[in-house]
Amino acid sequence: MFKQKIITIYISQIINHVLQISASIIVAKIAGPTVVGTVAFATAYVSSFSFIADLGLNTVHVKLISEGKDHKKLIGTYAALKMLLAVIFVVSFLIFLAVQRYYYGVYFESDDHEYVVLIAVLSAIIDSVIAVSLYTYIGKTESAKVELPVLMSSFISQVSRIAVVLLGFGAVSISLGNMASGLLLMMVYIYLLKGDNLGDLKGILLSYDAEIAKKYVKTAIPVVLLGFSTNLIEYIDKVILQFHTNSAQVGYYTAGFRFGFIIMLIGNSVSNLFMPAFSNAFNKGDYEYVNSVVYKFERFCFVFLMPFVVLFSVLAKPIILMLLGKEYAVSIDVMMIVNVTMFLRVIAQPYVSVINGMGNFKLSGFLYTASVALMVILLFVFSHPKLLNMGAVGVSISMLITYMVLNLLFKYFAKRSVSQLEYRLFFGFWIVGLLTYLVSYYVYDKYFSCDLIGMTTFGVLFLLVNFGGLKLFGVVNREDVDKIVSILNVFKLRDYIKGEFSKR
């Protein structure tokens, strides 16, 4: 069942990301990097403050739900606290905006930036309502209820983005379309909660329990630092890049990041499952289960995911030039760097989940905060006009170094927290991966064309040679093949999704 949960998330997120990339290509080619950068900056700018609408409650809710307590009271209490924090978030953000504009005299690049920022604030409020259902289902590891509504909402959002730019509208209209799809997702999740015999939104709020609220607040205090730091590490790159350069550079960065981010999909998948699963295992004292899952996942990443990291890095140039054009040439280096960065982020996820699953949010928050401090310094050095002034590429390098450090930190402290964990760095795979990239880049550049036929032919040959070599040297065995076949069993997947939605 755990395999079906992972593949449900991964397939859903692959489809979602393909939709996003397809829409982004059309938007980027028609609207240009400035419009893309405007929307990306506004979303990142508002999201940098969205930790106020959370303050650690999302993480705590997942942990408490995963422990199997009174779900109705937990959800009611969590919902009431989320609504209160949403109000505090809006007030705090508007005060900051007023101080920035009227006291410090710092204005946005255009009026469109201001409108899109305000729309992003409204979208953040909608996200707070969505979180009540979303994090409940994450805590219950009900992957189908997490992913399928999001996929439906994303499809509508991407269609609206395409329609907006084809009609000649810009960043403001794109943001309004995104907000509309968020409203739809909110209604779907309210419907799902109602179907779980929890009542409507009013009924859920009436389940508020003061004692449980105290537990949420008490448990969330050490998580606040974690929420704040993870929020910054997720969004501050685009914010600093905007203020150091312009919307076009943010657009180049966003385009390259969008293609490279596909590697991260598996990281998002497993983090939503590992944390509640590990929390449950730690409650039972089953440390060997944790070690086994971490090893299997990490090995899977190096054996089956790393080849795609290498392949996408080799093909970064033809992908960007063919799909976006020469105007986005800067995005080529961004995509190559982001591929490796996201892989580092993926293989760190189980170790982050180990520390969070043990409830050691204070340590996790400290590690993220130290990484954010390093990242901010690097961002200034690499992107500031008076320093290295490397724009989008400089920001990408900053993120790569940051996640390299973050990966090592979480591995080290996870091992210190759980002695049963084996400390593995997989040096051999890193060396083979680097050599494979260098040889493959040379071969592609010398013998293959930069068109669809050349890319496809090279990609197929690369994967055949790569996995054939792994099979020949015994790295991939029969058990691995059987597991992949089992994971991709569509009938088991169908039964899992059908069974999850029938529990209503």
Side-chain angles (χ1 to χ4, degrees):
M1 188 66 74
F2 196 80
K3 295 174 184 176
Q4 275 64 51
K5 290 177 187 287
I6 288 181
I7 200 63
T8 298
I9 300 174
Y10 199 43
I11 289 176
S12 173
Q13 292 197 8
I14 286 177
I15 296 172
N16 188 6
H17 203 68
V18 168
L19 288 172
Q20 289 181 20
I21 288 178
S22 301
S24 296
I25 291 169
I26 297 172
V27 172
K29 288 180 76 70
I30 297 175
T34 299
V35 170
V36 173
T38 299
V39 176
F41 162 73
T43 303
Y45 185 74
V46 174
S47 298
S48 297
F49 294 85
S50 62
F51 73 93
I52 299 172
D54 174 21
L55 294 182
L57 289 183
N58 295 344
T59 304
V60 174
H61 185 63
V62 170
K63 181 169 176 58
L64 293 180
I65 286 289
S66 71
E67 292 173 355
K69 303 291 172 59
D70 188 334
H71 284 180
K72 187 169 184 177
K73 285 186 177 180
L74 286 174
I75 295 169
T77 306
Y78 173 62
L81 292 173
K82 286 292 289 184
M83 297 310 102
L84 174 62
L85 288 180
V87 173
I88 296 172
F89 157 71
V90 173
V91 173
S92 302
F93 181 81
L94 293 178
I95 290 173
F96 179 88
L97 207 58
V99 171
Q100 173 188 293
R101 179 166 186 170
Y102 298 110
Y103 185 79
Y104 289 103
V106 177
Y107 292 82
F108 294 124
E109 187 177 324
S110 68
D111 290 339
D112 278 0
H113 282 74
E114 195 164 309
Y115 295 139
V116 176
V117 162
L118 293 176
I119 294 169
V121 172
L122 295 176
S123 297
I125 298 170
I126 295 169
D127 288 342
S128 289
V129 179
I130 291 172
V132 176
S133 298
L134 182 65
Y135 286 95
T136 295
Y137 292 131
I138 288 175
K140 295 165 73 175
T141 66
E142 294 184 357
S143 303
K145 289 182 181 178
V146 172
E147 296 298 330
L148 297 187
V150 173
L151 182 60
M152 177 195 69
S153 172
S154 178
F155 175 77
I156 294 172
S157 175
Q158 305 316 318
V159 170
S160 74
R161 287 175 67 200
I162 295 171
V164 163
V165 297
L166 288 176
L167 290 171
F169 297 104
V172 175
S173 298
I174 291 174
S175 298
L176 286 171
N178 292 339
M179 186 179 73
S181 67
L183 279 169
L184 177 62
L185 181 60
M186 181 183 76
M187 290 187 287
V188 170
Y189 271 132
I190 290 174
Y191 170 77
L192 286 176
L193 270 187
K194 185 178 180 180
D196 287 340
N197 298 317
L198 294 168
D200 55 17
L201 190 59
K202 181 180 178 182
I204 292 172
L205 289 172
L206 290 175
S207 300
Y208 172 84
D209 186 287
E211 288 302 313
I212 293 178
K214 290 179 183 176
K215 185 173 184 179
Y216 266 99
V217 174
K218 183 179 179 181
T219 311
I221 289 174
V223 188
V224 172
L225 183 62
L226 173 61
F228 171 72
S229 54
T230 52
N231 220 54
L232 284 182
I233 208 169
E234 194 77 28
Y235 299 110
I236 202 170
D237 51 345
K238 300 178 188 70
V239 175
I240 291 179
L241 181 59
Q242 169 71 49
F243 284 115
H244 282 175
T245 57
N246 51 49
S247 295
Q249 282 292 324
V250 179
Y252 300 140
Y253 177 71
T254 303
F257 198 92
R258 179 75 72 185
F259 284 103
F261 196 75
I262 194 168
I263 302 298
M264 185 54 208
L265 291 180
I266 194 168
N268 290 336
S269 307
V270 298
S271 62
N272 286 342
L273 285 176
F274 280 160
M275 197 268 191
F278 286 176
S279 175
N280 186 267
F282 287 135
N283 282 337
K284 297 176 181 178
D286 192 356
Y287 295 98
E288 287 303 326
Y289 166 80
V290 174
N291 180 54
S292 173
V293 170
V294 171
Y295 170 72
K296 288 177 181 177
F297 173 74
E298 205 165 13
R299 181 180 177 276
F300 170 85
C301 286
F302 279 97
V303 174
F304 294 102
L305 186 59
M306 180 178 267
F308 289 97
V309 175
V310 174
L311 179 61
F312 288 141
S313 297
V314 171
L315 297 179
K317 182 178 179 179
I319 287 174
I320 295 294
L321 294 182
M322 185 178 70
L323 296 178
L324 298 180
K326 293 182 180 180
E327 183 183 11
Y328 285 85
V330 174
S331 302
I332 296 170
D333 290 336
V334 172
M335 179 179 170
M336 292 173 64
I337 297 167
V338 168
N339 281 334
V340 181
T341 303
M342 292 301 101
F343 182 71
L344 286 168
R345 182 172 169 178
V346 166
I347 60 178
Q349 286 299 325
Y351 296 97
V352 175
S353 297
V354 165
I355 293 175
N356 289 341
M358 295 184 73
N360 200 348
F361 301 118
K362 188 175 181 180
L363 171 60
S364 189
F366 174 78
L367 296 180
Y368 268 112
T369 302
S371 299
V372 167
L374 171 64
M375 185 180 74
V376 170
I377 293 171
L378 292 171
L379 286 171
F380 270 85
V381 171
F382 280 99
S383 68
H384 197 283
K386 294 183 179 180
L387 296 173
L388 295 181
N389 193 25
M390 293 177 66
V393 176
V395 171
S396 305
I397 295 172
S398 303
M399 298 299 289
L400 174 63
I401 297 171
T402 299
Y403 275 105
M404 197 179 299
V405 173
L406 192 66
N407 182 286
L408 293 173
L409 284 174
F410 270 100
K411 276 192 173 185
Y412 173 75
F413 282 99
K415 168 63 180 171
R416 286 190 58 179
S417 301
V418 181
S419 58
Q420 288 85 348
L421 279 179
E422 298 174 31
Y423 195 74
R424 298 171 288 262
L425 291 176
F426 292 91
F427 279 122
F429 280 98
W430 283 111
I431 294 170
V432 171
L434 177 60
L435 292 175
T436 302
Y437 168 77
L438 293 174
V439 172
S440 300
Y441 187 87
Y442 172 79
V443 171
Y444 181 80
D445 188 57
K446 192 169 182 62
Y447 298 106
F448 291 86
S449 58
C450 286
D451 54 21
L452 183 60
I453 295 175
M455 287 171 56
T456 305
T457 304
F458 175 81
V460 171
L461 290 174
F462 174 89
L463 294 175
L464 287 174
V465 171
N466 189 86
F467 288 112
L470 290 173
K471 184 74 172 66
L472 180 65
F473 289 104
V475 178
V476 174
N477 52 42
R478 182 66 189 175
E479 185 181 354
D480 292 319
V481 176
D482 290 340
K483 283 181 180 179
I484 294 296
V485 172
S486 175
I487 287 174
L488 296 177
N489 188 316
V490 293
F491 298 106
K492 288 185 178 180
L493 186 62
R494 179 202 61 189
D495 293 341
Y496 162 68
I497 294 173
K498 188 176 178 180
E500 189 170 294
F501 278 98
S502 67
K503 297 187 298 184
R504 307 183 68 232

